[in-house]
Structure formats: structure tokens, C-alpha cells
Amino acid sequence: MAEDKLVPKMDQVIEECSRANERLEAALGRFALRFRPGAKEEWSAFGGGLPFDPSTMEVSPDMSENERWLREAYGPSSDLVIRKMRLGDQLQTQIMIAYIDGMTDILRLTEGILKPITQVGTALPGMNKPDSIFDELLDRFLHVGEVQEAAKLRDMLHMISSGDTAVIVAGHPKALICGLRLWPDRGVEKPSTEETLRGPQLGFSETLRTNTSLLRRLIKTPGLWIEDHTIGQRSQTSVSIVYLKGVTSEELVKEVRERLNRIDTDQVLESGILEEFIEDAPWSPFPTVLRTERPDRVAACLFEGRVAILVDGTPFVLIVPCTLTEFLVGSSDYYERAYLANFLRMVRSFAFFFPLGISAFYIAVTTFHQEMVPTPLILSIASQREGIPFPAVIEVLLLEFAVEVLRQASIHVPKIIGPAISIIGVLIVGQAAVMAGLVSNAVVIIVAFGAVASFATPIYSMGIAIRLLRLPIILLAASLGLFGIAMGFSAILVHLTALRSFGVPYLQPLAPVVTSDLKDTLIRLPWWMMRTRPALTDVQNISRQKPGQMPEPPEPTPPAAQNDGQAQGGGEK
Amino acid sequence: MRCRWIILLLLLPLFLGGCLSNVDMRQRVILTAVGIDGADVPGHVTITAQLLNALKAPQGDADAVLVISSTGHTGFDAARNMVKEVGRKVFWGQIQAIVIGEEVLREVNAAQLLDFLDRDFEPSRLAYVLVARGQTGAVVMGCGGSMLDSIPVGTITNQVEGVRATGKSHVMRLHDFMRALDTPGRSCATGFLTVTGEKTTGLGEVCKNQKIILEGVATFREGWVVGFWDDKETRGLNWVLGEVTSGMLITKDPSEQNKVSLEILGASSRVEPMMVDDQPVIRITVNAEANIGDIVGPGLDILDDGLIASLERRQATVIRNEILAALKRAKDERTDVFGFGTAFARRFPRQWEKMADSWDEQFLPDLPVELIVEAKIRRVGLCLSPIRVQ
């Protein structure tokens, strides 16, 4: 008696608690999760908030129950399609086909599942046992390449949501999952943020399978291992760890795996979200994970013993570990001849630090160290400064702000009126500001050049780090002059030295010096000299190619032998 | 964590300087050259400065330069008094030339006149120190310079740079000048300026009619000016100092019929102090190389075996004569502009201690000098003999 009374009471308490929680969650937003006791358990439940917990449940032999679960799970969603059919002896066995409309290849569904079942399914004399029908389906009737069995409800729901088609036979405790995924895809296009003059013009797209296929096309060894993970409690995003077996260190792969497994969130919409969860220095302005949308770049990194992380739904692939020099490298560096590549790389390395210091240097020199400037130049600067109402630092900050606004605006402006906006924004406003005596010409030149130089960094995220650090350097320069700039640069250098990316020092091979790896830093040696892979964490098979492959003219044959050759083997050619 | 806070606290004082030394160019006026003279009141100093109007100077406008004179108890006082007229504080960081009037140099020691420029942190140590011969520094400041330069001081600095093509002057920078003043066994010698033409403009403006000419050197003894050397003597000094980089040597061929001018390609020198019988002796070795610049006369056979050798001997003689003239002048004036004393101080520090006090008076006039000149002619030009003039 007492128990009976107690149980409903407990239910009430639990219900009230959850209602209170909901209110709290609504009030505090996502932060509420942190303070909620026991959030972890509920959190890790698949698709928390469903009327039932599919992670502990099995696919039911009872067809109607399966259907009820599906309907309840997807609620009013109209894209869930459930098709019921009968087959077997006297069509006594019911089967159910469930898929998401718009994510499934309807043509193959018709040809591969519906047709065989409707045409041949009736001709199954004596087949009534669900087990034998299930096996028969799997063995003979489903004209589908990829078929798996799913026993857990959770797995089945996940597969259906991923675009697979589930075939459930009444009375059988497993579902057949047919891989018929097909959805609208942008297709493989040029990598929009990393175009190069020479090299493949393919970029990753939003579909994980397309992306792995792009990699597989570049690296045909079966040693290209693709390891699948699912991250995101609700988004259930497919994430692939890609590496070259026999080249990449097992430790590194293990570490990547562990860091990814540690992530417990409900959404992974882009690789950037993963990046923030797994990076070594979350508060550093410098990225310690490389992101790229070029398959050839990923392949090159894999050959160097790095690990790539592909995320479904984004063309941006993460690469770890990643050092500073890697950010200064463009893909075409490896395709152009060494001289041009080195020249471009030096220009780029210079341009990398240029926006960081140029405007700060201008401020420091014009407000603290006028004696350092040659007289004609200081005269020219002084004549421009004459009549400008602001101190140099305000002038620079104003323009830097204007440039940032322009940069931001240029992303959002519709392409058709883009040129018009840039003419108004840059030419007219810039010119007018100088004419009106608001800013001096020198500042316009310096800020504009700094802005242009910041685009010379091949990886956008590294350019952003420099853009962010520019402001504190400017303020230091304005308050302490060159001394301040030196302080700021030293602080950045110390910080860079302290950074690590998956166990690899950020400045390697420059600090600590790895002599053999200097071949591919500020300069790139010709390919036939790049004999070894970079010494990251315990790269296996360090040797990359046979030594001594420098192309040379053939040994001149002695005249006698030449005569012989002509006499004997004239016809060979 | 505590360690972090301590490091942070240790770093913070770095910012205590704040924007203290911040100079806004809009509140300052750039000074490019300064003339130093005496004043009506004995013991006072007049400073005449060329100030630049920043708005007009880059275009080279005639009125871009403002010439301002001010007087004070000392150089610094006079300099600061300039604010009264200008309204802005003067920025000394770009000063390029310091011109001292001859008259004030006879009355006041150069070290005292230049103390304020040497002591303050702002003036550039790279400024040239020059003497205005028979003039005041103020007059030099009022000269407009040549048409080629946008600002008047450009003429002075260009002359200082350009005079290396002749080797006929030797100008010291402020830093070297002050160091030489302070070095025993070494005297200052720096170029002097003369002014031609009449002043036609007002006091505050520069006058384009007046021209400045840089020539020779003014020699000092312990900060007092003692003489003005001519071209020949000055180049003699430059040979010894190893500072002849270019210039012309005029001589004749052995037949005395052709005038041959030699273009100096470069020269090096070595000054070796020696003690012979406890007496100081100097050995000067000069190596000079030259091209044949032109041959004026009835012509000569340049392929003649002995010709080049004899021309080289004559070249050496010209150089030797110049050095001897300089040595004689220095001994007469008892001014060690060559820095022989410093050479002894370095090489024989113990003996130098005994000589130091009476070096200029006692040792220098009788100092035996062994002079070795090695002259070489490297190239004869693109033609062998001159075209015969009918």
C-alpha cells in the first residue's frame, strides 16, 4: 500500500523537477546546463527530450510498436516516409520500409528494394518465418550495395536520419539498413578561399563521402585509413579521422581519437566547432589547427605524417599537428619550380609580419623617434601631419577601423554592387578624408598596404591572428614608441615559443631547430632534395624517396661505344 | 599563479614611462641648421637657426625656411629663447649643420660653445661642425643655398658629401668633433665656409644671392681655432688620415711637354708610431691608386716602358709634397690634427704619460716623420695617345 502511494509521488516530484529545470534552462539559456546536477547523464542520452530513450532499446519484433516509435520520434516531421508491404507465403509477413524523403535516392529505392519485393516477394512459397524472410531479403532480393543490420533502435534512427533506408521485417528483432543516401550537393568546385595558379583546382564540398573520395583519388594506397566517428548528441555529425597507416604515428592518431571522443556537445555544424574543442591553446590568437579546403594540401599533409579530420557538412578539413611555418605555405609552393616558390614564400613571410608592425612603426617613429627618419622623409610626414586634428595614433585607429568595416562589408555586399561600394568606400571616402585634412596621406598608404598584406597569408585564420594582434601593438607603439613595439613583439615571440600543436612545438623546425626540416620552411629545396618527412611526433618511415635523384644529363658515351651502338643497334630506335 | 602575478607586477613598471617622450610634430618646428655667434653683451651667445615650415618645405618654396636669431646667457638659453619668437618648441633631432662664427671662436672655446648640443639628448650627433671664416654663423644661416637643393642646409650637407670627390676639405661630425676635443694627442680640424655675394633680403629670410663655399679646414688647438689650411694642405691631411677617396692630381710627363691629370681611385694610409732612442718617430705609409684622366699636350707614347713608372714617381711626388706641406703647417701651428699623439698613446702608453703634457709644444714641432708614398697608375683610359692637334 505504502509503496503504491510512494511511486506516484516520486513521479510527481520528478515531473516537477524537470519542469523547473525547463524553466531554468529557458531563463539561463544554454549556460543552465552547466549547473544542472546530473546533466551529464541526461545529456549523453541520444537525442535527449524524446518521449523514450532509444539508446537502451532494441528494434522490436512487433511492427506496430516500431512504427509507433518512429512516428513518436519524428513527431510531425513530414519528410519521414513509412511504407508498409507484405510478402512471403500468401503475403502474410508484413514488412516496413522507412526513409527520409529528400535524402534518399528514390530511383534506386524503387529499383533496388520496392521492385524486387513487389515482383518476386510474392513467389516465396512456404516462407513464413520472419528469420528466413529476413535472410532471403538480405541474400537475394535487396539490390543494394551497402546493407547492414541494426539491432538497436538508436542505430536505426541514426541511420534513417543520415539518409539510409530501413527495412523491417515483422517478427524479426533487427532492421536492414540500405545505404541509398543521396541529397542535393553543391558538387565539387574550385576552393573559394585557397585558389592557386598551379595545381589541382578541386576543392572539398559539404558531403563527407565526396571529400573522402577526393582524398582516395589522390592517395590510392589502402594504407589511407578513414576512421569514422559520430559527434554531436543531436546533430549526430559524421566525423572522419584520416591518416596514412605506416606513416602517421599511432600515438598521434590515438591522441586525436581521444580528443574527439572527449567532445560531448549536441551540435557540430562546422569543423571550426571541433577545432575549438580539440586545439591546444584555446586562448591563443594563433591557430594551432590548420584548416584547408584543398584535397591536395590534405594529401600532402598526410604524406608528412599528419592527421586530417573531415567533418560532414563543411568543405573545411582540419589538419593536426600544425606549426607556424605551415601557415605560411601555399599549395602551389610545391608545384611551382623551387626558385619561384622560394621567392613567393619569402615575399609571403615578409608580408605576414608586415601588417603586424607597419602602422605601429609609423606611430612610433613619428611621435617618438623623429630623429631616426631622414630629413626629407620627416619633412614630408610633418607637412602632411600639419593641420590634421588628431594625434597619429587616433588617425591610424580611425583608418584601421574603416578598413575592417570595409572588409566586413565586402563579404556581405551583393556581388553586383560590390565594385560600386568599393569605389565609394575606398576611393571617394579615402580621397575625401585626405583632402578634408582628417587623415594624412602617409597613414592612408600605410594602413591600406597593411590591409592588403594581411591577405597575402594563404590561410585566413592566421591572417586573423595578425589582424587581432595589430591593435595591442599599435597601442604599445603609441604609448612607448619602438620600445613598446619591441616589448609587444617579444611577448608574441615568447608566446609562440610556448605554443604546441598536438605535442609539436609551434615554431618547429625553427625553434627548436630541426636541421633536416629547415629544407621546407622559409625556403623550399627542390623536390629531389626533400628526402625525409618532417620530424613531427614519431613519424614512421621517415624516408620519403630514394636519395640522389637530381636530374642530370646522361653520361656521354665514349665515341667507340657510340659507333658500336650505331653499327649494331641502329634499328632499335 | 602567484608567480604569474609577480611577473605581471614586474612587467608593469615598464609602462610607467607612459607617453612621456611623445612628441607631436604639429607642436614642434624642425631645425635643420644652426649658427653660433657672440652677442652684444659680452659672455652671451647668439643662436641663428634655420627653421622649416613643414607645409612648404617639401615643395622647396623660397619662404619655406625661417631664419631666427635669439640671444641668451648660454647656447641652451639662447636656443630656448627662440620660443618667444617662434611659438613652438624647436625640434633639434634633425639638425644637420652647426656653423660657428670665426669671431666667437677667437673669444670662446669651441667646447663651451658646443656643450649644450653635446649634453642634450635631442640634437643629432651626426650634424656637421663647420666654421664660418671671416663671417658670423648668422650670415651663413641667411644664405639661400644652391638651386639644386630644396632647403638651404641641403647645400651645406651636399657640399660636405661632394667634397669627397676632390679631397680638399675634411668635415667632422658633432660626435667626432667632441670626442677629438676630449682626446689628448689629437686636435680638431673641420671644414670652413666662406660666403660670397651681398645680402639682399630681410633678416628673417634666406637670400639666394649669397653663396656658400666649403673649402680647406680650420684647425683647432685645445678647442681654439689656430689656422685655416688651404686645399693643398688639407688634402695632405686627408692623405695621412686615409680619407682621400677621389680627386685630381696634376703633373707633367717626363718630357715636361704634356700636362697629365690623374684621377685618384683610392688611397689608404698607415701611421706607425715608433720609439727610436726613446724619442718618438712617426712612419707614414700612403698607398694611392690613380687612373690617367687626361693628357693635354703634343702627345706621348703611353706604351713606352718607363712612362707609367715615371708618371707614378711624379704622382708620388705630388702626394708627398701635399703631405709635407700639411705636416709643416701642423708643426708650425702646434696642432696635432693627424692624431699622432693618440697613436703613441695607444702603442706606447707608458712613454706617452711622460710626453702627454708637453706633446703639442715640445714633441710635435720636432717630430721626425718618415714618409713612404707608393703610387700606382692602374688604367690609362680608353685611348692610347691624344689626338694630334694640327
Side-chain angles (χ1 to χ4, degrees), chain A residues 370 373 375 383 386 388 479, chain B residues 18 23 25-26 54 88 94 96:
Chain A
Q370 293 94 346
V373 190
T375 311
S383 72
E386 204 74 32
I388 305 286
S479 56
Chain B
V23 177
M25 285 316 286
R26 294 166 304 164
R88 296 183 183 194
Q94 294 284 348
Q96 289 175 12

Side-chain angles (χ1 to χ4, degrees), chain A residues 366-368 370-371 373 375 378-379 382-383 385-386 388-391 476 478-480 483 487, chain B residues 14-15 18-19 21-26 30 32 52 54-55 57-58 88 91 93-94 96 151:
Chain A
T366 53
T367 52
F368 287 92
Q370 293 94 346
E371 65 279 354
V373 190
T375 311
I378 192 72
L379 261 182
S383 72
R385 298 274 301 119
E386 204 74 32
I388 305 286
F390 309 113
L476 275 173
S479 56
L480 297 169
F483 174 63
M487 266 172 62
Chain B
L14 291 177
F15 294 90
C19 315
S21 46
N22 182 329
V23 177
D24 195 332
M25 285 316 286
R26 294 166 304 164
I30 298 174
T32 53
L52 287 186
L55 272 181
R88 296 183 183 194
F91 180 68
Q94 294 284 348
Q96 289 175 12
I151 49 174

Side-chain angles (χ1 to χ4, degrees), chain A residues 247-398:
Chain A
V247 172
T248 311
S249 145
E250 295 291 336
E251 286 294 305
L252 177 64
V253 178
K254 208 176 124 204
E255 177 66 26
V256 173
R257 210 178 286 140
E258 271 173 17
R259 289 197 193 183
L260 285 179
N261 285 339
R262 225 181 285 153
I263 302 173
D264 190 3
T265 177
D266 72 341
Q267 53 163 4
V268 178
L269 297 179
E270 214 274 343
S271 50
I273 296 173
L274 284 191
E275 179 181 345
E276 291 201 12
F277 273 113
I278 63 170
E279 66 188 341
D280 288 67
W283 294 113
S284 169
F286 289 94
T288 50
V289 175
L290 180 72
R291 65 124 183 81
T292 177
E293 53 172 331
R294 295 186 62 88
D296 55 326
R297 184 161 193 155
V298 174
C301 286
L302 292 178
F303 280 121
E304 289 176 343
R306 300 178 207 266
V307 174
I309 302 168
L310 277 65
V311 179
D312 193 27
T314 175
F316 293 101
V317 171
L318 305 180
I319 293 169
V320 291
C322 187
T323 54
L324 181 71
T325 49
E326 195 64 24
F327 286 98
L328 301 179
V329 168
S331 286
S332 60
D333 281 10
Y334 296 100
Y335 309 141
E336 299 283 3
R337 295 188 62 242
Y339 280 117
L340 178 61
N342 285 332
F343 173 68
L344 294 180
R345 201 178 269 197
M346 277 179 231
V347 169
R348 209 180 293 132
S349 311
F350 179 68
F352 173 67
F353 292 103
F354 208 75
L356 186 58
I358 179 71
S359 27
F361 188 76
Y362 171 81
I363 295 172
V365 164
T366 53
T367 52
F368 287 92
H369 316 284
Q370 293 94 346
E371 65 279 354
M372 280 178 53
V373 190
T375 311
L377 183 58
I378 192 72
L379 261 182
S380 159
I381 291 173
S383 72
Q384 293 170 23
R385 298 274 301 119
E386 204 74 32
I388 305 286
F390 309 113
V393 55
I394 300 293
E395 228 183 312
V396 167
L397 287 179
L398 267 178

